[in-house]
Amino acid sequence: MLRTTPKTTGLALALALGGPAIFGCDIPVFRYALDRWPADAFRLEAPTTVLQTEPLATEIRNLSGGAGLNLEASISTNSTRMFFPSHVRGAAAPVWEGKLSLAAYRTLTDSPARQDLIKRILAGDSAIWVLVESGHRDQDEAAARLLAGRLRFLEAATGLPPLDPNDPESRLGPGPELKVQFSLLRVKRTDANEFLFLSLLAGPTGLKSFPAEQPFVAVVFGRGRVFGAWPHARLTEDLIEEATRFLLGSCSCEVKAQNPGWDLLLRVDWDNELKKIGAIRRPASNAPKRSGGSL
């Protein structure tokens, strides 16, 4: 059983104030999000001369043709910028601004760590804790030990809400087996290939809001939704447990916008990939299972 504390933490308060509860299905939050919450679209603004220059123009045209990328492009007057989805609170400033070439576009829209993240979600991870390493070994390893140890405990000690097979609102969509499984993904803050990924993990307040001399962590679930991000100084067992309790609990608020978090920019056709997994996975009941993650 998860340990609770009498003190209301900032995370618990944020959950309590996140929006009115709409009681519905018994599917855990992480799986409800994977089944039913399409990824929000980022917005890329660029001058006509940029968006109509080949071969970049072909990439942009493919956005509306099933490119599997949650991105929209529009014409701007003189600058090239990328923005968070419009309804993300506090995200008025661009998440990126610069010169857009084909190589830059591909680095912005995909990266090795993001592909690793996608594979883990499709393999059935309930949540992926991303540790952004500062380069200060002692702090990086301390954060990794805290996360790995607590997540192993939670995998062993936590169950999932039982699903009513007769309730149509509690039926799972196609995809991986339902189980309790966490993993830890480590990314260096200095990795040039991951600069946009790290900025997106940091959220609308930006990467500059996390001190460069210490690591920070973010937890990702669903179709690449960041539940929250915290500097190492705020990372505690209680915080890890509260985030886990929320993601493994029944989805009481089915409206995505009323839940905490923001989406990542990922190159994946979620519907198609989930259908493929559902087709090859042996028929199974909705009974939740426990399984160890890659910590």
Side-chain angles (χ1 to χ4, degrees), residues 32-281:
Y32 191 94
L34 183 62
D35 286 350
R36 312 188 189 193
W37 287 352
D40 296 330
F42 284 72
R43 187 173 84 258
L44 175 67
E45 295 182 352
T48 303
T49 53
V50 173
L51 295 181
Q52 294 183 354
T53 301
E54 294 292 355
L56 181 60
T58 298
E59 296 270 354
I60 299 298
R61 283 195 299 271
N62 286 340
L63 288 175
S64 59
L69 184 63
N70 53 320
L71 180 67
E72 300 172 341
S74 62
I75 302 296
S76 68
T77 54
N78 53 18
S79 61
T80 304
R81 305 179 296 176
M82 183 181 291
F83 293 87
F84 270 99
S86 58
H87 64 269
V88 176
R89 297 188 187 100
V95 68
W96 173 85
E97 185 170 8
K99 184 177 180 180
L100 190 65
S101 62
L102 180 62
Y105 177 81
R106 289 178 173 170
T107 301
L108 287 170
T109 56
D110 203 5
S111 67
R114 279 182 275 182
Q115 285 301 311
D116 191 347
L117 182 78
I118 292 166
K119 289 178 182 178
R120 296 183 189 213
I121 293 172
L122 293 173
D125 279 10
S126 313
I128 299 94
W129 289 78
V130 184
L131 171 61
V132 180
E133 299 179 350
S134 65
H136 296 277
R137 183 177 176 81
D138 290 347
Q139 292 192 56
D140 295 341
E141 294 305 320
R145 285 194 299 272
L146 174 60
L147 281 166
R150 207 61 196 162
L151 293 176
R152 286 194 192 99
F153 166 77
L154 292 170
E155 281 184 344
T158 312
L160 292 172
L163 303 184
D164 181 356
N166 299 315
D167 179 6
E169 292 299 319
S170 295
R171 291 176 185 164
L172 299 179
E177 182 181 21
L178 183 63
K179 54 192 172 183
V180 178
Q181 178 168 294
F182 306 111
S183 64
L184 175 61
L185 173 61
R186 301 176 67 161
V187 184
K188 296 183 184 299
R189 186 162 178 159
T190 54
D191 189 339
N193 291 321
E194 305 295 345
F195 74 94
L196 186 75
F197 178 46
L198 301 182
S199 296
L200 300 182
L201 286 173
T205 59
L207 194 57
K208 64 182 182 300
S209 63
F210 292 88
E213 64 274 10
Q214 64 174 281
F216 75 91
V217 299
V219 59
V220 182
F221 70 104
R223 300 188 178 193
R225 188 164 182 82
V226 183
F227 175 67
W230 307 274
H232 182 210
R234 289 184 54 199
L235 184 65
T236 64
E237 290 185 349
D238 289 340
L239 185 147
I240 297 168
E241 290 183 14
E242 286 185 21
T244 299
R245 187 185 308 118
F246 175 82
L247 294 175
L248 297 184
S250 298
C251 190
S252 60
C253 183
E254 300 172 9
V255 181
K256 180 181 179 182
Q258 293 177 347
N259 282 269
W262 57 91
D263 287 348
L264 296 171
L265 179 64
L266 300 176
R267 187 179 287 276
V268 54
D269 185 336
W270 288 109
D271 289 336
N272 186 51
E273 293 300 321
L274 291 169
K275 286 177 183 177
K276 286 195 293 186
I277 292 171
I280 63 176
R281 186 167 65 82

